[in-house]
Amino acid sequence: MKIDHQVDAPPQCVSDQLREAEAAGYHGVWLLEAAHDPFLSVGLGAQVTSRVEIGTGIAVAFARSPMTLAITANDLRLVSQGRFLLGLGSQIKPHITRRFSMPWSHPAARMREYVLAVRAIWNSWHDGTPLQFEGEFYRHTLMTPMFDPGPNPYGNPPILLAGVGESMTGVAGEVADGFICHGFTTERYLREVTLPTLGQGRRRAGRSMEGYEIAGMPFVVTGTTAEEFAAAKQSTKEQIAFYASTPAYRPVLERHGWGELQSQLNVMSKAGRWKEMADVIDDEVLEAIAVVAEPDDAAAEIRRRYGDVFTRMNLYLKAPLPAEALESIVAALR
């Protein structure tokens, strides 16, 4: 299993953080799209590293056209000398329509077509064949020599698609090179829903799971003191409550018979009762979603749950952990 690191930092800090991650021996670094552009950060990080893989974890697909994304990803594959990984996600409707002012409909079907459109654009550059992609949501039928960068010597970036529900997960199995598991999941949901659905998607594409990446991001609650442990537990409950209030993540809760928890948290979120929401997450829910363990036991519990599921992983820590303790966990996972 590859052990990765996630970075959410302003552009002026990214280079130093990626240097440090490479020096620490991480296999990959994922750049989050939140308050900053992940593609800019990938480009900056690529200039100061030479070994570590660098990916978007995730970039919001529907905020961009397939052509815009295809060009950016192709350039980043070049400047990273083949180390760039394209991680994509759909986001949810309010962000796409109200934050990005972009269209939203049939997200799984749209994402399937989106990825196929990006691949068609890349293929036109690689093979020199006319660009002729016409779908329900996207249409790309013009590519002149001035805008054709030609074949990429490093090949096309692998596409890893994020998802939770069965529809998007099936699309990821069918058209992507890998799947990015959301932190809001459980071992049971992964084994009973995610893995079988990915397998179905792969079979639709006439492919097996061999060589297919599954990137995990499990919540980890730990600490070297009682105070650190309590802070990690509280902040993780707050984050879980935030995710659990979103209808898109309800299937994870329903798998455990906790569907009504989503309804309750959704009402609370609309009333702005964010701090109170964490109190609704009891220890049973917390321990199903997060690995809750002392630092010396955390790596073993992570491996027990996910060692045969994830091909690569980065830890989702909601509270700071002393560097020595974190390094010890990471070293035990390698």
Side-chain angles (χ1 to χ4, degrees), residues 51-102:
R51 176 194 57 79
V52 71
E53 293 179 299
I54 312 174
T56 50
I58 54 81
V60 180
F62 299 157
R64 303 165 172 89
S65 79
M67 180 64 72
T68 301
L69 184 83
I71 293 168
T72 301
N74 183 70
D75 283 348
L76 290 175
R77 189 71 168 172
L78 281 169
V79 300
S80 67
Q81 298 182 315
R83 293 180 288 130
F84 174 60
L85 308 174
L86 178 57
L88 294 177
S90 62
Q91 249 297 350
I92 58 175
K93 182 179 179 179
H95 285 271
I96 299 302
T97 60
R98 294 168 53 197
R99 184 158 67 96
F100 291 107
S101 189
M102 295 291 279

Side-chain angles (χ1 to χ4, degrees), residues 275-290:
K275 284 296 182 182
E276 298 172 52
M277 288 165 58
D279 297 333
V280 179
I281 305 299
D282 63 24
D283 286 350
E284 183 182 11
V285 175
L286 174 69
E287 291 171 13
I289 296 173

Side-chain angles (χ1 to χ4, degrees), residues 12-36:
Q12 66 269 26
C13 301
V14 163
S15 294
D16 288 342
Q17 292 200 20
L18 264 77
R19 281 195 199 95
E20 292 170 5
E22 183 167 82
Y26 286 103
H27 295 95
V29 177
W30 296 94
L31 283 304
L32 177 69
E33 178 162 32
H36 304 286

Side-chain angles (χ1 to χ4, degrees), residues 23-262:
Y26 286 103
H27 295 95
V29 177
W30 296 94
L31 283 304
L32 177 69
E33 178 162 32
H36 304 286
D37 187 317
F39 296 114
L40 173 61
S41 294
V42 170
L44 292 170
Q47 300 303 300
V48 298
T49 56
S50 60
R51 176 194 57 79
V52 71
E53 293 179 299
I54 312 174
T56 50
I58 54 81
V60 180
F62 299 157
R64 303 165 172 89
S65 79
M67 180 64 72
T68 301
L69 184 83
I71 293 168
T72 301
N74 183 70
D75 283 348
L76 290 175
R77 189 71 168 172
L78 281 169
V79 300
S80 67
Q81 298 182 315
R83 293 180 288 130
F84 174 60
L85 308 174
L86 178 57
L88 294 177
S90 62
Q91 249 297 350
I92 58 175
K93 182 179 179 179
H95 285 271
I96 299 302
T97 60
R98 294 168 53 197
R99 184 158 67 96
F100 291 107
S101 189
M102 295 291 279
W104 173 276
S105 65
H106 309 291
R110 181 181 287 271
M111 183 65 80
R112 180 183 183 276
E113 190 174 295
Y114 189 103
V115 173
L116 293 176
V118 170
R119 293 198 188 281
I121 294 164
W122 285 344
N123 288 340
S124 75
W125 298 340
H126 184 271
D127 302 330
T129 54
L131 177 59
Q132 195 67 36
F133 184 88
E134 299 191 58
E136 179 181 356
F137 309 103
Y138 302 103
R139 184 171 183 268
H140 299 277
T141 60
L142 178 65
M143 179 55 59
T144 60
M146 180 177 179
F147 301 104
D148 183 345
N152 192 315
Y154 301 102
N156 299 326
I159 297 176
L160 286 81
L161 182 58
V164 176
E166 292 182 65
S167 296
M168 191 67 75
T169 303
V171 167
E174 182 181 357
V175 303
D177 303 299
F179 183 71
I180 299 175
C181 301
H182 198 285
F184 188 84
T185 191
T186 66
E187 180 187 6
R188 179 178 173 185
Y189 189 83
L190 283 170
R191 294 185 185 279
E192 295 182 4
V193 179
T194 302
L195 291 179
T197 306
L198 286 173
Q200 292 167 10
R202 299 302 285 168
R203 287 191 291 276
R204 282 198 301 272
R207 298 172 182 171
S208 72
M209 291 295 291
E210 185 175 354
Y212 190 81
E213 289 268 38
I214 300 180
M217 189 175 63
F219 282 105
V220 178
V221 175
T222 191
T224 59
T225 66
E227 292 76 14
E228 287 177 3
F229 210 105
K233 187 173 182 179
Q234 180 63 24
S235 59
T236 303
K237 282 188 173 185
E238 290 174 3
Q239 188 65 54
I240 288 173
F242 169 76
Y243 287 136
S245 70
T246 305
Y249 303 141
R250 187 183 181 105
V252 176
L253 296 170
E254 288 182 333
R255 178 60 43 166
H256 294 263
W258 301 329
E260 285 308 306
L261 182 62
Q262 189 275 319

